[in-house]
Amino acid sequence: MRRPLATTCLLTALLAGCATGPSLENQGAVTAPPGDSKSLTIGSAGFTESDLLAQMYAKLLSNAGYRTTLLTVANRELYEPALESGQIDVVPEYAATFADWLNAKANGADAPPAGSPDLDTTMTALRELATPRGLTVLDPGKAVDQNAFAVTSAYAKQHQLKTLSDLGRSGLEVRLAAGDECVKRPYCRPGLEKTYGINITAVDPKGVGTTQAKKAVEAGQDQMVLTTSTDATLGEFGLVLLADDKKLQNADYIVPVVNRSRAGSEKVAAALGKLNTVLTTADLASMNQQVDSWRRLPEDVAEAYLKEKGLL
């Protein structure tokens, strides 16, 4: 994903002193009624998809009568405390990943995972972790960006593969292009072997969904690549996704997270909730492609999409 240049000086000045966020003993932030500030700052994590979501959030909120500002903070360790403190009011997040991150923050790095493949279970855990921090997690929509695995279309056709279960049953030896962490992460090599019985002979450390990784599979050096469900460039390399039919991957549905005391109103929830009825995983993949491959600006892509869907 293409990452914009960081505005380091601005971010340092804005976020100075907020690295730890408000104390959990400060119950005022938790028990206060939902706020409805008329000026809202929407945060982006600095990669294409996050930029697109932040732009859509800003435009929907502006359309609902709010003054909006966008701020890129490409580090969850910075933007999450800023969200708690009210220096950022709204961010797009990923349900299972954010649940695990808050869980580790609250209970330590060795705490059992809070996210799961089940969306309801994940959302319950996420809201239980977010609420004491003065955060409100709004409803998820249909769009999900989770880990996914792709092979070449020729390889899939040759071996009649549509799902990861098909690959496991085939007994084929598979060299997997992925990140270094794939060797130990339960959703990657261990999960593929245990859940699907896939014969992973090696992990080729070329990164998650990188051009280098996809080219290695295209060339036959590797047989499968770890990418994401909103990767719109797979066709350029002749790749297709294999369905995660046993739901190994966690429920990383896209959810808006807001600072309750500043943006916890029903009006904010209603404005952002309009995306839930229209935004799909395929839509996000298409928008990512327009920015990453066609070099369109995230702001322009976001506005065109919202207008096409009748939301602006």
Side-chain angles (χ1 to χ4, degrees):
M1 301 178 198
R2 185 167 62 90
R3 293 178 181 272
L5 295 175
T7 52
T8 306
C9 295
L10 172 62
L11 299 184
T12 301
L14 178 63
L15 302 178
C18 73
T20 59
S23 169
L24 292 183
E25 285 71 34
N26 180 7
Q27 295 299 309
V30 177
T31 60
D36 193 28
S37 174
K38 299 306 177 187
S39 296
L40 300 175
T41 298
I42 294 88
S44 165
F47 57 91
T48 296
E49 188 168 285
S50 188
D51 289 345
L52 285 163
L53 290 164
Q55 288 284 353
M56 287 190 284
Y57 288 3
K59 292 179 187 303
L60 289 169
L61 289 168
S62 294
N63 198 47
Y66 294 93
R67 295 186 297 276
T68 61
T69 303
L70 279 87
L71 179 66
T72 296
V73 188
N75 186 317
R76 189 177 276 113
E77 284 75 10
L78 285 176
Y79 76 66
E80 189 278 331
L83 182 64
E84 288 186 26
S85 68
Q87 290 175 296
I88 293 175
D89 303 305
V90 184
V91 294
E93 263 294 356
Y94 300 89
T97 296
F98 197 45
D100 284 342
W101 195 87
L102 288 179
N103 189 40
K105 185 175 181 180
N107 301 310
D110 296 329
S116 82
D118 182 74
L119 178 58
D120 291 340
T121 301
T122 296
M123 288 298 297
T124 297
L126 175 55
R127 284 170 167 152
E128 288 176 352
L129 289 160
T131 298
R133 297 185 176 276
L135 306 179
T136 296
V137 182
L138 303 184
D139 291 338
K142 297 177 285 188
V144 57
D145 186 353
Q146 61 193 29
N147 294 300
F149 296 90
V151 298
T152 66
S153 56
Y155 185 83
K157 183 177 181 180
Q158 179 185 357
H159 300 290
Q160 298 182 319
L161 307 176
K162 292 185 178 180
T163 68
L164 290 170
S165 288
D166 292 339
L167 182 57
R169 283 190 295 266
S170 74
L172 292 165
E173 294 185 348
V174 176
R175 181 176 165 92
L176 175 63
D180 292 333
E181 69 280 1
C182 178
V183 174
K184 295 182 179 180
R185 291 282 176 88
Y187 67 80
C188 203
R189 180 175 184 167
L192 291 172
E193 293 175 335
K194 180 178 179 180
T195 302
Y196 289 107
I198 297 173
N199 183 10
I200 306 291
T201 60
V203 172
D204 187 5
K206 286 185 164 57
V208 179
T210 62
T211 297
Q212 183 185 22
K214 284 180 276 196
K215 282 185 175 180
V217 177
E218 181 184 30
Q221 177 183 339
D222 300 328
Q223 287 71 53
M224 187 164 68
V225 60
L226 169 62
T227 183
T228 65
S229 56
T230 59
D231 186 340
T233 66
L234 295 177
E236 299 174 18
F237 301 91
L239 304 179
V240 293
L241 293 178
L242 296 181
D244 179 22
D245 52 308
K246 292 185 179 179
K247 298 187 182 301
L248 171 64
Q249 303 305 321
N250 282 344
D252 259 332
Y253 284 75
I254 290 159
V255 292
V257 181
V258 304
N259 178 287
R260 174 183 169 87
S261 65
R262 288 185 48 81
S265 70
E266 291 185 6
K267 185 178 178 182
V268 168
L272 297 179
K274 291 181 178 180
L275 270 182
N276 290 356
T277 61
V278 298
L279 185 64
T280 66
T281 303
D283 290 342
L284 267 181
S286 175
M287 286 189 279
N288 285 337
Q289 182 182 36
Q290 291 177 58
V291 175
D292 289 335
S293 297
W294 304 354
R295 301 304 180 190
R296 295 187 62 192
L297 294 175
E299 180 178 4
D300 295 340
V301 174
E303 183 169 355
Y305 177 79
L306 293 176
K307 286 182 176 178
E308 176 191 343
K309 299 299 180 180
L311 299 183
L312 287 185

